[in-house]
């Protein structure tokens, strides 16, 4: 029995409480230090799943494609992220639909702070934190190139900052919607990279990703403005109360603070869009340069072919003598008198 209690500490979310409702009691959860033990257990689970995907899927595909070292590393990275993002999108969509966060957008800020979480919401956040923490030792296990480590560390740090921030500041509902939008765009990007590595002439999925990316950025910016600009300032409890999980909603009564936060959000989204536009311009420029070089090569090949045909029509020279195509001299032979 003692062992079972210890095992539950690693496997199941902790800090469950019974919250009274109109229909009776509802078991919900809040966070605490014991969550670190649960996250540690699922870090090991994520490492095992990572190895399974690598061994039984990605390595087999890599042996068929014969990619270079650089493409091999990028293919493995995109392959792992495609599996993770697809799973997370399906799981996150199921959570937000069943909890009613999409059908009722007001629930994103109503009754803030959202200290008590449903089981599936808390478990989702714990697994997300475990996955992005497991990505740190995977940099060593996967023997990632030194040039790629700063970029991947920056990406991991940003995800951990946003997920942990939403979890600790009791903004889990808004965090779920934002993660759904982000993971959807990332799934199409890494899927497009996988298709490109298998066939470099196939870039159609990059166009799909471009559309999804722009749409998700617009939805993300709209949500920030809706929740920060209009939702949180209307929360009834505006006093600073860390014990109840109310950390900063009182600040949104100050219009200067609220506008400053919205300005920072808009600047961040603008920087993301600027990098995206630069990437698209570079890709289109490379595409048109490749198309123009192909046209020049085709034109040069056509000129060579025409030259060959003209030579055949007019005959060719051999030892200073012009001969026709059949090897005979083009001059008329004199007939011998009988």
């Amino acid at each position: 029995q003692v062992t079972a209690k210890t095992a539950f500490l690693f496997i199941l979310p902790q800090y469950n409480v019974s919250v009274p409702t109109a229909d009776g009691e509802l078991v919900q959860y809040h966070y605490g230090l014991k969550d670190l033990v649960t996250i540690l257990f699922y870090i090991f689970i994520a490492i095992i799943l990572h190895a399974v995907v690598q061994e039984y899927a990605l390595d087999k595909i890599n042996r068929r494609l014969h990619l270079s070292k650089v493409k091999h590393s990028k293919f493995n990275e995109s392959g792992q992220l495609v599996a993770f993002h697809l799973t997370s999108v399906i799981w996150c969509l199921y959570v937000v639909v069943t909890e009613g966060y999409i059908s009722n957008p007001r629930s994103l800020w109503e009754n803030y702070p959202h200290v008590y979480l449903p089981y599936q919401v808390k478990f989702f956040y714990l697994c997300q934190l475990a996955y992005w923490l497991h990505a740190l030792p995977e940099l060593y296990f996967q023997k990632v190139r030194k040039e790629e480590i700063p970029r991947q560390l920056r990406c991991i740090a940003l995800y951990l900052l946003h997920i942990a921030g939403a979890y600790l500041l009791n903004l889990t509902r808004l965090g779920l919607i934002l993660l759904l939008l982000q993971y959807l765009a990332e799934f199409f990007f890494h899927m497009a990279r996988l298709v490109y590595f298998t066939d470099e002439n196939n870039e159609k999925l990059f166009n799909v990703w471009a559309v999804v990316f722009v749409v998700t950025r617009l939805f993300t910016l709209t949500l920030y403005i809706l929740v920060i600009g209009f939702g949180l300032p209307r929360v009834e409890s505006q006093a600073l109360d860390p014990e109840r999980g109310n950390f900063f909603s009182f600040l949104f009564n100050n219009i200067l603070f609220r506008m400053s936060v919205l300005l920072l959000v808009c600047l961040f989204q603008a920087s993301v869009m600027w990098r995206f536009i630069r990437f698209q311009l570079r890709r289109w420029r490379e595409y048109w340069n490749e198309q123009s070089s192909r046209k020049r090569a085709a034109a040069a090949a056509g000129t060579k072919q025409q030259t060959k045909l003209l030579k055949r029509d007019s005959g060719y020279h051999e030892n200073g003598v012009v001969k026709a195509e059949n090897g005979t001299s083009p001059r008329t032979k004199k007939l011998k008198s009988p």
Side-chain angles (χ1 to χ4, degrees), residues 184-210:
L184 186 63
E186 288 292 308
F187 168 73
F188 280 101
F189 173 72
H190 290 288
M191 194 67 199
R193 281 218 304 184
L194 289 182
V195 174
Y196 175 76
F197 288 140
T198 56
D199 181 10
E200 293 188 355
N201 295 321
N202 192 346
E203 297 186 2
K204 294 180 180 179
L205 266 182
F206 278 111
N207 298 327
V208 177
W209 164 70

Side-chain angles (χ1 to χ4, degrees), residues 92-104:
C92 189
L93 183 62
Y94 173 79
V95 172
V96 297
V97 170
T98 54
E99 294 296 331
Y101 300 153
I102 292 181
S103 59
N104 182 21

Side-chain angles (χ1 to χ4, degrees), residues 206-229:
F206 278 111
N207 298 327
V208 177
W209 164 70
V211 175
V212 174
F213 181 87
V214 173
V215 172
T216 53
R217 289 304 99 191
L218 290 175
F219 271 103
T220 299
L221 186 59
T222 304
L223 274 175
Y224 273 119
I225 294 174
L226 184 65
V227 176
I228 296 176

Side-chain angles (χ1 to χ4, degrees), residues 267-284:
L267 288 176
F268 177 75
Q269 295 299 322
S271 67
V272 172
M273 285 299 299
W274 173 244
R275 289 197 297 269
F276 168 76
I277 291 170
R278 288 180 60 188
F279 171 78
Q280 291 297 325
L281 290 175
R282 186 173 66 252
R283 190 167 70 89
W284 289 338

Side-chain angles (χ1 to χ4, degrees), residues 70 87 120 126 146 226 268 271 331:
V70 176
T87 305
Q120 58 181 354
L126 294 180
K146 292 182 179 179
L226 184 65
F268 177 75
S271 67
R331 293 177 294 182

